[in-house]
Amino acid sequence: MMFEPLKDTVALLKTYGDKMPEEIHLLLQKLPESWDNNKKLCLRVADNAAPLQAAEAAILRNKCQ
């Protein structure tokens, strides 16, 4: 749904006779899956970093007290 404007733009350009390479169409098809994979990766990284951030916050809290 988020990438529909891109697809619409490519379709509009096609109506004006501007031909896009087949590579662009393939990338547009793979884009939603790549986006989902990136979101999942970000969540995993955030989960892995959370304990480290909490430990650093505890160290800083102790230093401030």
Side-chain angles (χ1 to χ4, degrees):
M1 186 163 119
M2 174 173 158
F3 301 105
E4 288 302 317
L6 282 174
K7 292 177 182 178
D8 293 343
T9 302
V10 169
L12 179 65
L13 288 171
K14 187 176 181 181
T15 62
Y16 286 106
D18 194 7
K19 294 184 181 186
M20 292 288 165
E22 187 63 29
E23 179 182 314
I24 299 296
H25 296 288
L26 292 174
L27 287 173
L28 280 174
Q29 288 176 355
K30 293 179 183 179
L31 196 57
E33 182 182 343
S34 295
W35 181 254
D36 286 338
N37 289 339
N38 281 335
K39 288 193 306 187
K40 290 175 186 175
L41 177 62
C42 287
L43 291 174
R44 277 186 278 158
V45 168
D47 286 344
N48 290 339
L52 300 172
Q53 288 176 330
E56 189 65 26
I59 291 169
L60 290 173
R61 213 175 296 114
N62 287 338
K63 285 182 180 180
C64 290
Q65 291 175 355

